[in-house]
Amino acid sequence: MADLPRYNRRSKNITEGVARSPNRSMYYAMGYQTEDFSKPMIGVANGHSTITPCNSGLQKLADVIIATLKDAGSNPQVFGTPTISDGMSMGTEGMKYSLISREVIADCIETAVNGQWMDGIVVIGGCDKNMPGGMIALARTNVPGIYVYGGTIKPGRWKGKDLTIVSAFEAVGEFSAGRMSQEDFDGIERNACPSSGSCGGMYTANTMSSSFEALGMALMYSSTMANPDDEKVGSAAESARVLVEAVKRDLKPRDIITRDSIENAVTLIMATGGSTNAVLHYLAIAHAAEVEWTLDDFERVRQRTPVICNLKPSGQYVATDLHRAGAIPQVMKLLLDAGLMHGDCLTITGRTLAEELAQVPSVPNAGQDVIRTLGQALYKQGHLAILKGNLSPEGCVAKITGLKNPVITGPARVFNDEYTALDAILADQILPGDVLVMRYLGPQGGPGMPEMLAPTSALIGKGLGESVGLITDGRFSGGTWGMVVGHVAPEAFVGGLIALVEEGDSVTIDAHQLLIQLNVPDAEIARRRAHWSPPPARYTRGVLAKFATLTSCASKGAVTG
């Protein structure tokens, strides 16, 4: 393309000031011609792997992106990023690597983009931590970039019912409670995941990808497309074309990722009933973009944003249903018309959010129940409440949709790991009215803040989702629902009050009052604290030890840099 400028990153270093740089030799070995050095060099961070169905369908997207970048007059430079499958590592020591992989992915992309002095970057990802890891890197490097989501999985089917990966976890509790036959248990397990693509409800992957449309860093409609469908390939190609134009205009991530655009993203998360993990990840994204954003901002947005999407895990439908009903742009148009979104925020196309949504109908399609109008909202306020109290003075996250009454005071059932808690649930040792306290699972104590989908799904399967509370300094899967409170800070490992809870103590969770409280006299708490000492670190070397040493607390996003 004759009108492409000479770029001021790697290509400038090569083509200006040094007539015959030895750097060129390495590029000639990859097939470059002399004229290629005046073209932008665009990184393609490819998350393809056969580790998980979330990422197994990414290579076809990478291939079309590479071809489109070349056709648009740029030079793609492809490199890989790792992934950890939350669904596969759930309930094992491997889950401790999940959140850590967010930081590893961000570090990998930052290292390649800055080390190779790239002019732009397309990030392709599928599984949960691919999204925030990639966005953190885009914000850190601040070269023109776009996010390409691999797409959702299609729902599984068993005996006429739609399935997701959470169906398999909940089946464990139902089967162990004698409420499910062996045939149905095996049928759900074998049919829950029928294709490539990320978990199908409004779980963490679909939550984060959907929010990237609202953030302005991904194309409209791209987040709810199914990975096996041809439209996903077409959207990936268009993303590459849009990125080349952004490079030409020098439109950078921090021009797009602002306080207002993060507020748009969080509003969308609340309206769609998204994952608790989005709280942790947007704290981290804001930190990387140097945007002021705190836990209190989530609560402020929650109180003014209704839940208008009827999506799993607390609703009925999955992402492919949302796509057919009008997708994320339809949801955003309703919010924009109600004054709940900032329409003047810039997007990666160079147009504002309001301009992107100009042709979207102001009323959702009739005959569907996936997207509601604000007047017919499922809940008048958002579902991710920020609770505070003596158990979590820095704040923690409660997911309160789907509950008849998000209030409980009951005796603490205390566990210092996930496995003994799960055993107790499956052995019917947890009773209605109990409050499980699962600790030493935070960013430092886990380390890695593992997710608790196995015990929370077991509670649902046992029929205890409404009657048993659960408090943890760890995290929850995007598929979790129930009377659950996570991200308790300070965490047990650093001496947070959760470390001092004893079996049988009275504990209160009250989402109406935004309260989480240990009902024990101050003098008794002081006595316990005087006798408490931190446990030894579980890991003293390797990536888990590095993360435990470097990480911030959950209330700051559990970031390492």
Side-chain angles (χ1 to χ4, degrees), residues 88 209 337 409 425:
M88 292 175 175
S209 63
D337 287 351
T409 295
I425 295 167

Side-chain angles (χ1 to χ4, degrees), residues 261-520:
S261 71
I262 290 176
E263 186 166 298
N264 284 345
V266 173
T267 299
L268 188 281
I269 290 163
M270 295 294 179
T272 55
S275 169
T276 54
N277 285 306
V279 176
L280 201 70
H281 297 329
Y282 268 98
L283 289 169
I285 290 166
H287 174 80
E290 298 184 278
V291 172
E292 182 181 350
W293 190 264
T294 70
L295 278 178
D296 291 338
D297 288 309
F298 287 97
E299 181 58 30
R300 173 178 57 82
V301 173
R302 181 192 76 82
Q303 292 189 15
R304 64 168 178 77
T305 308
V307 179
I308 59 173
C309 291
N310 187 10
L311 297 168
K312 291 179 182 291
S314 54
Q316 296 177 265
Y317 300 102
V318 295
T320 50
D321 299 316
L322 176 59
H323 192 61
R324 287 190 293 269
I328 295 303
Q330 180 65 81
V331 181
M332 290 195 288
K333 184 60 175 281
L334 296 173
L335 297 169
L336 180 66
D337 287 351
L340 296 176
M341 280 196 159
H342 301 281
D344 57 348
C345 286
L346 195 63
T347 74
I348 187 60
T349 65
R351 297 184 292 271
T352 66
L353 184 67
E355 289 171 333
E356 289 288 328
L357 300 177
Q359 302 305 313
V360 177
S362 293
V363 179
N365 297 333
Q368 56 83 33
D369 188 41
V370 185
I371 304 172
R372 305 277 189 90
T373 63
L374 274 69
Q376 297 176 316
L378 280 80
Y379 305 96
K380 293 181 179 179
Q381 293 183 321
H383 62 302
L384 301 180
I386 305 303
L387 310 188
K388 293 184 179 181
N390 66 356
L391 261 175
S392 187
E394 293 181 16
C396 54
V397 185
K399 192 172 189 179
I400 61 176
T401 47
L403 298 174
K404 296 182 181 71
N405 182 27
V407 177
I408 187 172
T409 295
R413 304 297 309 279
V414 182
F415 301 91
N416 290 337
D417 59 65
E418 175 185 2
Y419 315 115
T420 54
L422 179 61
D423 289 343
I425 295 167
L426 295 178
D428 296 321
Q429 296 171 5
I430 304 301
L431 304 175
D434 286 346
V435 179
L436 274 74
V437 177
M438 299 170 61
R439 62 192 182 191
Y440 296 104
L441 297 165
Q444 290 181 253
M449 210 177 174
E451 292 181 352
M452 302 292 109
L453 181 60
T456 59
S457 295
L459 287 172
I460 299 299
K462 289 281 189 179
L464 298 171
E466 294 272 3
S467 60
V468 169
L470 192 157
I471 295 171
T472 181
D473 49 10
R475 298 184 295 126
F476 296 118
S477 163
T480 293
W481 71 276
M483 184 77 71
V484 296
V485 182
H487 308 196
V488 168
E491 62 176 289
F493 189 79
V494 301
L497 186 58
I498 190 173
L500 307 182
V501 181
E502 294 184 357
E503 187 80 7
D505 283 347
S506 173
V507 174
T508 294
I509 303 169
D510 189 333
H512 295 317
Q513 297 188 59
L514 304 178
L515 178 68
I516 181 168
Q517 188 79 15
L518 175 64
N519 303 310
V520 169

